[in-house]
């Protein structure tokens, strides 16, 4: 259960990267509200997941998959619109890695949630008779491969060296280690 809670909290950096890119391209005061809604979504997702996991044990991973797919689809849609707005020099290649990877993440999490009903612990009762892979539990490896590929592609997308991809982080997350005062010019002449 705790590993799944950590998985949901991993949506935080994904939402932050999407919101930061959106704020970079479309500066507006409305992004403060979007940041707050993202935090509320994350907290509500945690509360909803814990509640549903404790009440309906067989549908815990399906709930996790749907929550993660919602966050990844938001990030992918925002990145896709941002790519259209910025008009990158080449659409397919490293620049398209973010939206494609977010789409892959959506698919992998939905696959994990729905496959777990027949190939995971709930399918053990009928000896995995309705499981579509040869062995019960093999769907975890399929999901992990797709999710790892998607996360590596997102890393590639966020490390693109385009000047318009400089992500703005909320002011509450930025701080200075040392307060630097501007140099005062001396008015004395020798």
């Amino acid at each position: 259960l705790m590993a799944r809670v950590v998985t949901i909290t991993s949506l935080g950096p994904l939402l932050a990267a999407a919101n930061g890119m959106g704020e970079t391209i479309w500066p507006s005061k409305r992004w403060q509200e979007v940041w707050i809604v993202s935090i509320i979504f994350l907290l509500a997702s945690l509360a909803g997941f814990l509640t549903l996991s404790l009440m309906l044990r067989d549908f815990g991973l399906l709930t996790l998959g749907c929550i993660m797919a919602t966050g990844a689809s938001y990030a992918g849609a925002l990145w896709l619109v941002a790519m259209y707005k910025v008009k990158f020099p080449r659409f397919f290649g490293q620049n398209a890695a973010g939206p494609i990877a977010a789409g892959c993440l959506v698919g992998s999490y939905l696959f994990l949630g729905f496959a777990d009903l027949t190939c995971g612990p709930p399918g053990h009762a009928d000896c995995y008779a309705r499981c579509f892979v040869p062995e019960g539990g093999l769907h975890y490896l399929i999901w992990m491969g797709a999710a790892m590929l998607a996360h590596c592609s997102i890393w590639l997308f966020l490390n693109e060296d385009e000047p318009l991809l400089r992500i703005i982080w909320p002011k509450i997350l930025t701080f200075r280690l040392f307060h630097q005062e501007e140099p005062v010019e001396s008015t004395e002449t020798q």
Side-chain angles (χ1 to χ4, degrees):
L1 185 64
M2 288 311 294
R4 293 175 183 179
V5 168
V6 170
T7 302
I8 291 177
T9 58
S10 72
L11 266 180
L14 189 68
L15 294 175
N19 290 342
M21 183 176 295
E23 191 173 358
T24 301
I25 295 172
W26 301 287
S28 171
K29 291 189 179 212
R30 294 277 183 207
W31 284 101
Q32 294 173 354
E33 298 163 7
V34 174
W35 284 103
I36 292 169
V37 168
S38 295
I39 292 169
I40 291 171
F41 169 75
L42 197 59
L43 294 174
S45 297
L46 282 169
F49 171 73
L50 288 173
T51 302
L52 286 174
S53 291
L54 295 174
M55 291 173 53
L56 308 167
R57 292 192 180 270
D58 290 347
F59 296 101
L61 204 55
L62 178 62
T63 306
L64 172 77
C66 291
I67 290 169
M68 296 299 289
T70 302
S73 62
Y74 167 74
L78 195 58
W79 289 338
L80 190 62
V81 172
M83 285 180 54
Y84 176 74
K85 173 83 173 162
V86 173
K87 297 186 174 149
F88 287 115
R90 62 187 195 280
F91 184 77
F92 291 104
Q94 188 172 352
N95 295 328
I100 292 170
C104 185
L105 265 182
V106 169
S108 71
Y109 281 117
L110 289 178
F111 168 79
L112 175 67
F114 286 108
D116 195 61
L117 295 175
T118 57
C119 301
H124 182 70
D126 61 356
C127 295
Y128 306 108
R130 296 179 296 145
C131 185
F132 56 89
V133 290
E135 297 285 330
L138 189 61
H139 68 290
Y140 293 121
L141 291 176
I142 296 169
W143 164 75
M144 188 171 53
M148 292 289 285
L149 180 67
H151 283 292
C152 289
S153 298
I154 289 173
W155 174 82
L156 184 70
F157 176 70
L158 293 177
N159 284 314
E160 174 70 22
D161 193 24
E162 291 286 336
L164 294 173
L165 280 182
R166 302 293 180 228
I167 294 176
I168 295 177
W169 299 102
K171 296 195 184 328
I172 198 167
L173 295 177
T174 58
F175 60 92
R176 293 183 187 173
L177 288 177
F178 303 103
H179 180 67
Q180 296 177 349
E181 295 182 14
E182 295 183 21
V184 179
E185 292 183 21
S186 175
T187 57
E188 296 178 17
T189 55
Q190 295 180 355

